[in-house]
Amino acid sequence: MNYETKLLNAIVADGDFALCGTENVKNVFVEQKDIWSFIAEHYESHRKVPSTETIKHHFPDFEVFHVTEPLQYYIDVAHRESLSQQVRTALSRSNDLVEQAGPKEAIGYLMSRTSEMIKISSSLRDTNLVEEWEDRFEDLLARSKEKNRDIIGVPSGIQIMDKIFGGWQAGDFVVLLGWTGVGKSFVARLFAVNAWRAGYTPLVISLEMNKQQEAQRIDTLLNNGEGHFSNTDLVTANPGIVDKYKAWAEETYSGKHPIHVVTTEGMDTADQHMVQAKIDQYKPDLVILDYHGLFDDASGAKSETEKAKNLSKAFKRMAVKNSVPIIDVAAVTMADGHSERPPELEEVAWSKQLAYDADLVLAIHREYNSEVFQIVSRKVRRATHFGFYLRWNLDTGDWKEEWDLA
Amino acid sequence: MEKIPTGQDLIIFFQKECDEQGKLFVPDPPRQDQVAKSLVDHFNYEELKPAVGKFISDAYGAVLVFDFALQSRDLIERSKFEEQSKKRFKEIVEQTRLKMESN
């Protein structure tokens, strides 16, 4: 029995599909790739790994094996075996190349394959900066010729932030801070919508609102004050805008890339494994988590502080590991009451870990019923601090950047 | 010559703030006279005023000068923190504006 069969049995016995995503297990399957694909599809549809009986029903030749070790053990063995097989194949192919094309071609092939296999075998991205200066030069040269050269990540859509911070970059962990009710979620959706307009795929995991509320909010933001309808029209189902909505939606959405929204309807647990599974499923360019305090911690924290800390670390690692920017909406402690200003870094609720882990902390404030959002950086890892105003009609979706509030 | 604020000025300020914010000011003589004088002597009057304003806005029931005095140190520190934070925000916005305009 080979390592693929043992691993498949271990996945079925353990049921932790999220771990398979985290460990990039799919790459180890060659002979039994069809069974792996079946398990992955079953998980996507039913949020559960199929039973042995179900797999046997579809694949009568599937060999059942009594699992005696934890899933991680079989994953490690599979990675080792898979890599060994790839090394053998590469050596055999290079030997053939020496005869057929010559030693230089064989060396070229070996170098290319070795580089790929090192990437697969190393979970950490080890880099020798001295050796790689030419890569950085090529990257710099390419970017210097680009029209929007300031923005090296997914654009936020806000000129000031993109100029100074350079957009959301792979591995960024961004925290949005604000007192309750000031519009943190609106700002997070604005970033999602602006990314989508720029051709990127956002994933919004919303534990605060249901699917309909999310859709209405995103429709309103995309409408962007063009006057087809307002958020109130959508919420109250105004008959007068139904046809206008249809025409607008057809023009806006037809043939376009997705905006993935995950809401809590029917969901028992929303923890870091779920977030990882959704990233694996949708391969987004930008992830928005709303909000930090509502996520469960799979590592079994006993207090809110410990939970907030564990989740913060998990989300930061997830951003780096998946090379995707993650924006996390977080609350501010209310012990001293609601202040009329953007919160400071030390006022983040439950755990200071969020502030430590973040590459950018954006503090947001809006006075009661005001159209003016005050936005300021409280921590910036790769730029200078910045602050600005957004004048924003939340009902029409119309917004613009402002300096002078007079 | 600039008038030096007195305890009575502080009591009048309490009454006006309560009127403006719709809160009940409870007169407490003669204790409040001595407490107000002590507050004015001990703290900077300009730092006391926003702290009093915040104390009154957060009050659920009746407002007494004595109750404020018991929390005065914390309220003044908090008030200074708030003012500094607002000032810092405006400074960052201005610096950002200058930076954007110079690009």
PDB file of all heavy atoms in Angstrom, chain A residues 336-350:
ATOM      1  N   ASP A 336     -13.705  53.578  28.994  1.00  0.00           N
ATOM      2  CA  ASP A 336     -13.777  55.010  29.302  1.00  0.00           C
ATOM      3  C   ASP A 336     -14.820  55.722  28.450  1.00  0.00           C
ATOM      4  O   ASP A 336     -14.787  56.940  28.313  1.00  0.00           O
ATOM      5  CB  ASP A 336     -12.411  55.659  29.084  1.00  0.00           C
ATOM      6  CG  ASP A 336     -11.400  55.125  30.075  1.00  0.00           C
ATOM      7  OD1 ASP A 336     -11.752  55.043  31.259  1.00  0.00           O
ATOM      8  OD2 ASP A 336     -10.285  54.785  29.660  1.00  0.00           O
ATOM      9  N   GLY A 337     -15.705  54.982  27.851  1.00  0.00           N
ATOM     10  CA  GLY A 337     -16.755  55.603  27.044  1.00  0.00           C
ATOM     11  C   GLY A 337     -16.285  55.834  25.620  1.00  0.00           C
ATOM     12  O   GLY A 337     -15.139  55.612  25.259  1.00  0.00           O
ATOM     13  N   HIS A 338     -17.211  56.286  24.810  1.00  0.00           N
ATOM     14  CA  HIS A 338     -17.003  56.500  23.383  1.00  0.00           C
ATOM     15  C   HIS A 338     -16.413  57.888  23.185  1.00  0.00           C
ATOM     16  O   HIS A 338     -17.030  58.882  23.537  1.00  0.00           O
ATOM     17  CB  HIS A 338     -18.374  56.370  22.711  1.00  0.00           C
ATOM     18  CG  HIS A 338     -18.351  56.456  21.234  1.00  0.00           C
ATOM     19  ND1 HIS A 338     -17.786  57.507  20.566  1.00  0.00           N
ATOM     20  CD2 HIS A 338     -18.833  55.617  20.290  1.00  0.00           C
ATOM     21  CE1 HIS A 338     -17.935  57.314  19.266  1.00  0.00           C
ATOM     22  NE2 HIS A 338     -18.559  56.164  19.075  1.00  0.00           N
ATOM     23  N   SER A 339     -15.216  57.980  22.628  1.00  0.00           N
ATOM     24  CA  SER A 339     -14.591  59.284  22.418  1.00  0.00           C
ATOM     25  C   SER A 339     -14.923  59.822  21.039  1.00  0.00           C
ATOM     26  O   SER A 339     -15.204  59.052  20.117  1.00  0.00           O
ATOM     27  CB  SER A 339     -13.075  59.164  22.560  1.00  0.00           C
ATOM     28  OG  SER A 339     -12.752  58.783  23.866  1.00  0.00           O
ATOM     29  N   GLU A 340     -14.851  61.143  20.907  1.00  0.00           N
ATOM     30  CA  GLU A 340     -15.161  61.766  19.612  1.00  0.00           C
ATOM     31  C   GLU A 340     -13.877  62.008  18.817  1.00  0.00           C
ATOM     32  O   GLU A 340     -13.517  63.146  18.514  1.00  0.00           O
ATOM     33  CB  GLU A 340     -15.928  63.071  19.825  1.00  0.00           C
ATOM     34  CG  GLU A 340     -17.366  62.864  20.266  1.00  0.00           C
ATOM     35  CD  GLU A 340     -18.213  62.064  19.271  1.00  0.00           C
ATOM     36  OE1 GLU A 340     -17.828  61.929  18.102  1.00  0.00           O
ATOM     37  OE2 GLU A 340     -19.267  61.544  19.687  1.00  0.00           O
ATOM     38  N   ARG A 341     -13.180  60.938  18.514  1.00  0.00           N
ATOM     39  CA  ARG A 341     -11.923  61.016  17.755  1.00  0.00           C
ATOM     40  C   ARG A 341     -11.552  59.601  17.322  1.00  0.00           C
ATOM     41  O   ARG A 341     -12.070  58.635  17.904  1.00  0.00           O
ATOM     42  CB  ARG A 341     -10.803  61.587  18.631  1.00  0.00           C
ATOM     43  CG  ARG A 341     -10.639  60.776  19.899  1.00  0.00           C
ATOM     44  CD  ARG A 341      -9.443  61.080  20.712  1.00  0.00           C
ATOM     45  NE  ARG A 341      -9.479  60.310  21.949  1.00  0.00           N
ATOM     46  CZ  ARG A 341      -9.175  59.030  22.032  1.00  0.00           C
ATOM     47  NH1 ARG A 341      -8.768  58.376  20.977  1.00  0.00           N
ATOM     48  NH2 ARG A 341      -9.273  58.376  23.178  1.00  0.00           N
ATOM     49  N   PRO A 342     -10.664  59.441  16.331  1.00  0.00           N
ATOM     50  CA  PRO A 342     -10.219  58.088  15.991  1.00  0.00           C
ATOM     51  C   PRO A 342      -9.472  57.476  17.172  1.00  0.00           C
ATOM     52  O   PRO A 342      -8.711  58.185  17.835  1.00  0.00           O
ATOM     53  CB  PRO A 342      -9.270  58.306  14.799  1.00  0.00           C
ATOM     54  CG  PRO A 342      -9.581  59.665  14.283  1.00  0.00           C
ATOM     55  CD  PRO A 342     -10.064  60.469  15.446  1.00  0.00           C
ATOM     56  N   PRO A 343      -9.688  56.193  17.483  1.00  0.00           N
ATOM     57  CA  PRO A 343      -9.026  55.592  18.635  1.00  0.00           C
ATOM     58  C   PRO A 343      -7.506  55.503  18.483  1.00  0.00           C
ATOM     59  O   PRO A 343      -6.994  55.481  17.363  1.00  0.00           O
ATOM     60  CB  PRO A 343      -9.641  54.195  18.716  1.00  0.00           C
ATOM     61  CG  PRO A 343     -10.253  53.961  17.402  1.00  0.00           C
ATOM     62  CD  PRO A 343     -10.583  55.272  16.802  1.00  0.00           C
ATOM     63  N   GLU A 344      -6.845  55.441  19.593  1.00  0.00           N
ATOM     64  CA  GLU A 344      -5.395  55.264  19.606  1.00  0.00           C
ATOM     65  C   GLU A 344      -5.080  53.770  19.661  1.00  0.00           C
ATOM     66  O   GLU A 344      -5.939  52.951  19.994  1.00  0.00           O
ATOM     67  CB  GLU A 344      -4.786  55.971  20.822  1.00  0.00           C
ATOM     68  CG  GLU A 344      -4.931  57.483  20.814  1.00  0.00           C
ATOM     69  CD  GLU A 344      -3.955  58.170  19.855  1.00  0.00           C
ATOM     70  OE1 GLU A 344      -3.028  57.500  19.367  1.00  0.00           O
ATOM     71  OE2 GLU A 344      -4.145  59.367  19.582  1.00  0.00           O
ATOM     72  N   LEU A 345      -3.819  53.452  19.393  1.00  0.00           N
ATOM     73  CA  LEU A 345      -3.403  52.048  19.332  1.00  0.00           C
ATOM     74  C   LEU A 345      -3.637  51.303  20.651  1.00  0.00           C
ATOM     75  O   LEU A 345      -4.045  50.144  20.654  1.00  0.00           O
ATOM     76  CB  LEU A 345      -1.907  52.003  18.982  1.00  0.00           C
ATOM     77  CG  LEU A 345      -1.376  50.774  18.285  1.00  0.00           C
ATOM     78  CD1 LEU A 345      -2.131  50.470  17.021  1.00  0.00           C
ATOM     79  CD2 LEU A 345       0.103  50.951  17.976  1.00  0.00           C
ATOM     80  N   GLU A 346      -3.407  52.000  21.759  1.00  0.00           N
ATOM     81  CA  GLU A 346      -3.523  51.316  23.061  1.00  0.00           C
ATOM     82  C   GLU A 346      -4.967  51.043  23.447  1.00  0.00           C
ATOM     83  O   GLU A 346      -5.219  50.407  24.466  1.00  0.00           O
ATOM     84  CB  GLU A 346      -2.823  52.117  24.167  1.00  0.00           C
ATOM     85  CG  GLU A 346      -3.285  53.545  24.330  1.00  0.00           C
ATOM     86  CD  GLU A 346      -2.402  54.518  23.560  1.00  0.00           C
ATOM     87  OE1 GLU A 346      -2.018  54.188  22.424  1.00  0.00           O
ATOM     88  OE2 GLU A 346      -2.121  55.603  24.076  1.00  0.00           O
ATOM     89  N   GLU A 347      -5.911  51.512  22.647  1.00  0.00           N
ATOM     90  CA  GLU A 347      -7.313  51.302  22.994  1.00  0.00           C
ATOM     91  C   GLU A 347      -7.930  50.079  22.294  1.00  0.00           C
ATOM     92  O   GLU A 347      -9.126  49.832  22.432  1.00  0.00           O
ATOM     93  CB  GLU A 347      -8.120  52.562  22.651  1.00  0.00           C
ATOM     94  CG  GLU A 347      -7.764  53.707  23.591  1.00  0.00           C
ATOM     95  CD  GLU A 347      -8.321  55.052  23.166  1.00  0.00           C
ATOM     96  OE1 GLU A 347      -8.139  55.429  21.994  1.00  0.00           O
ATOM     97  OE2 GLU A 347      -8.916  55.740  23.998  1.00  0.00           O
ATOM     98  N   VAL A 348      -7.124  49.336  21.569  1.00  0.00           N
ATOM     99  CA  VAL A 348      -7.640  48.134  20.894  1.00  0.00           C
ATOM    100  C   VAL A 348      -8.158  47.139  21.943  1.00  0.00           C
ATOM    101  O   VAL A 348      -7.537  46.953  22.989  1.00  0.00           O
ATOM    102  CB  VAL A 348      -6.549  47.495  19.988  1.00  0.00           C
ATOM    103  CG1 VAL A 348      -5.350  47.080  20.776  1.00  0.00           C
ATOM    104  CG2 VAL A 348      -7.099  46.328  19.207  1.00  0.00           C
ATOM    105  N   ALA A 349      -9.310  46.560  21.677  1.00  0.00           N
ATOM    106  CA  ALA A 349      -9.970  45.708  22.675  1.00  0.00           C
ATOM    107  C   ALA A 349      -9.299  44.350  22.824  1.00  0.00           C
ATOM    108  O   ALA A 349      -8.787  43.784  21.867  1.00  0.00           O
ATOM    109  CB  ALA A 349     -11.435  45.514  22.292  1.00  0.00           C
ATOM    110  N   TRP A 350      -9.322  43.843  24.019  1.00  0.00           N
ATOM    111  CA  TRP A 350      -8.930  42.495  24.410  1.00  0.00           C
ATOM    112  C   TRP A 350      -7.445  42.185  24.331  1.00  0.00           C
ATOM    113  O   TRP A 350      -6.882  41.621  25.250  1.00  0.00           O
ATOM    114  CB  TRP A 350      -9.699  41.428  23.607  1.00  0.00           C
ATOM    115  CG  TRP A 350     -11.164  41.524  23.776  1.00  0.00           C
ATOM    116  CD1 TRP A 350     -12.083  41.766  22.786  1.00  0.00           C
ATOM    117  CD2 TRP A 350     -11.907  41.411  24.993  1.00  0.00           C
ATOM    118  NE1 TRP A 350     -13.336  41.819  23.314  1.00  0.00           N
ATOM    119  CE2 TRP A 350     -13.270  41.594  24.673  1.00  0.00           C
ATOM    120  CE3 TRP A 350     -11.561  41.173  26.315  1.00  0.00           C
ATOM    121  CZ2 TRP A 350     -14.268  41.541  25.616  1.00  0.00           C
ATOM    122  CZ3 TRP A 350     -12.563  41.133  27.259  1.00  0.00           C
ATOM    123  CH2 TRP A 350     -13.886  41.311  26.908  1.00  0.00           C
TER     124      TRP A 350
END
